[in-house]
Amino acid sequence: MPPPRTDYLLSQLDVLEAESIHVMREVAAEFERPVLLFSGGKDSIVMLALAERAFWPARIPFPVMHVDTGHNFAEVLSYRDRRVAEAGARLIVASVQESIDAGKVAEETGRWASRNRLQTTTLLDAIADNRFDAVFGGARRDEEKARAKERVFSFRDEFGQWDPKNQRPELWNVYNTRIRRGEHIRVFPLSNWTELDIWHYIAREQLEIPSIYFAHTRKVFERDGILLADCEFVTRSDDELLFDARVRYRTVGDMTCTGAVESAASTIAEVIAEIAATRITERGQTRADDRASEAAMEDRKREGYF
């Protein structure tokens, strides 16, 4: 008997890519006004690349939206504008600062004040104003335990809120897309990807990513075990001294609560090797807002967070 053929076998990345593309095409077919959330972070970078592949040679048939806290890394904003223009997509910027100016939310104060929680109001207002009925997010199940509860198609009620006990079964990858006016679906095409999968895909597809994902020298200070970048948005106490460190970022977010990790990884291959050796998720290691309580992320998600 001849040996079995192997030239048709799909790799793990091929399977994940096909699943994500199927999800995106399903949304485009079933919903009238989808939108893709794009922060310039690695997960949304992969999601945008998948959207391009899903609808090629046509343009992406929905806009791209960034919920902008106003406290962003300059390298990431520059990348965001360049990458969205390259994809030929329409960029919508939902501004937290505008929500503050309109009196819809109040600026936080205190040691760990940030605008992360304030993004919820800005996001929900943007969804309502643009009448979006499906919102692509880049969350993965391995990031945080609350996100592990998510379905691929995650139902949100008329208030934009999430109830983990009121989600729809997804047997055999069949998705229930029925919603009433005012409701919407959060869609997570990367649900079954891991952080390592994301990096392997970036390497395979040779995707450009912001420079802060690679080791670089930056002025930082330590606060409760997290290395925060020196910036105009954070007030340091007298004992929080600045020092130069060789760091990189595992996740992109508000500068006031997104920590760096000391690293010498300056290539994608080195980043992959570093991640493969760690047992701490990127949010658990570098996001101060997730340390507020055991249920910090779940509480925010119930309110309408990503």
Side-chain angles (χ1 to χ4, degrees):
M1 179 182 294
R5 287 179 56 195
T6 59
D7 56 328
Y8 59 84
L9 296 179
L10 296 177
S11 71
Q12 170 72 359
L13 285 183
D14 291 328
V15 172
L16 291 171
E17 179 188 63
E19 178 186 54
S20 299
I21 286 175
H22 166 69
V23 168
M24 289 184 164
R25 289 173 175 168
E26 188 79 1
V27 168
E30 293 288 338
F31 293 93
E32 293 183 4
R33 299 179 68 87
V35 66
L36 186 148
L37 296 179
F38 186 79
S39 65
K42 63 184 184 305
D43 300 312
S44 60
I45 288 169
V46 168
M47 197 162 56
L48 185 62
L50 290 167
E52 288 181 297
R53 178 159 294 188
F55 303 105
W56 180 265
R59 289 189 175 185
I60 299 172
F62 38 76
V64 170
M65 182 166 71
H66 180 210
V67 181
D68 181 4
T69 66
H71 293 170
N72 300 287
F73 293 91
E75 304 97 318
V76 177
L77 286 184
S78 175
Y79 172 88
R80 178 201 69 184
D81 294 340
R82 184 174 69 257
R83 181 66 184 92
V84 173
E86 177 184 286
R90 178 168 68 93
L91 175 64
I92 298 170
V93 177
S95 169
V96 172
Q97 183 62 56
E98 291 182 5
S99 298
I100 294 171
D101 294 342
K104 295 182 177 181
V105 292
E107 191 86 73
E108 292 183 358
T109 58
R111 180 180 174 82
W112 279 113
S114 83
R115 292 182 172 184
N116 258 21
R117 184 180 288 275
L118 308 187
Q119 291 179 89
T120 299
T121 297
T122 306
L123 172 64
L124 294 178
D125 284 348
I127 291 172
D129 292 345
N130 292 278
R131 295 182 290 113
F132 293 132
D133 51 6
V135 182
F136 288 107
R140 308 183 323 270
R141 287 175 178 155
D142 71 325
E143 284 183 89
E144 201 275 341
K145 58 188 178 183
R147 285 180 165 167
K149 297 180 181 180
E150 288 279 18
R151 298 288 197 266
V152 177
F153 279 53
S154 184
F155 173 75
R156 295 300 198 271
D157 64 20
E158 63 270 27
F159 303 106
Q161 297 178 335
W162 174 68
D163 181 356
K165 296 180 180 179
N166 187 29
Q167 298 301 311
R168 299 160 178 181
E170 294 179 342
L171 304 177
W172 304 290
N173 292 335
V174 175
Y175 305 112
N176 183 343
T177 61
R178 293 186 179 182
I179 56 174
R180 295 175 295 185
R181 184 181 296 275
E183 299 171 341
H184 70 276
I185 298 288
R186 302 282 175 88
V187 185
F188 301 108
L190 305 180
S191 281
N192 292 325
W193 297 58
T194 66
E195 185 182 9
L196 266 179
D197 292 328
I198 293 293
W199 279 103
H200 280 300
Y201 192 79
I202 288 171
R204 190 184 80 173
E205 301 300 317
Q206 299 181 357
L207 302 180
E208 180 192 359
I209 57 176
S211 59
I212 66 171
Y213 278 113
F214 299 115
H216 58 285
T217 300
R218 185 183 289 266
K219 287 192 178 298
V220 297
F221 65 95
E222 184 175 344
R223 174 174 291 178
D224 298 344
I226 294 179
L227 296 180
L228 294 178
D230 180 36
C231 69
E232 60 187 296
F233 312 120
V234 180
T235 301
R236 292 182 291 111
S237 60
D238 293 340
D239 61 342
E240 293 177 328
L241 303 178
L242 287 177
F243 59 94
D244 289 330
R246 188 79 172 158
V247 299
R248 72 176 194 86
Y249 287 83
R250 290 181 67 186
T251 182
V252 165
D254 191 304
M255 291 185 73
T256 62
C257 61
T258 303
V261 295
E262 293 191 88
S263 172
S266 57
T267 67
I268 291 178
E270 291 172 345
V271 169
I272 289 173
E274 187 177 271
I275 294 170
T278 187
R279 294 295 177 266
I280 306 175
T281 67
E282 68 260 46
R283 294 193 69 94
Q285 184 177 19
T286 65
R287 292 298 287 270
D289 51 326
D290 288 344
R291 299 186 179 188
S293 72
E294 282 291 315
M297 172 63 82
E298 183 160 335
D299 291 342
R300 294 202 302 276
K301 287 177 68 63
R302 287 177 183 273
E303 297 168 359
Y305 191 72
F306 307 136

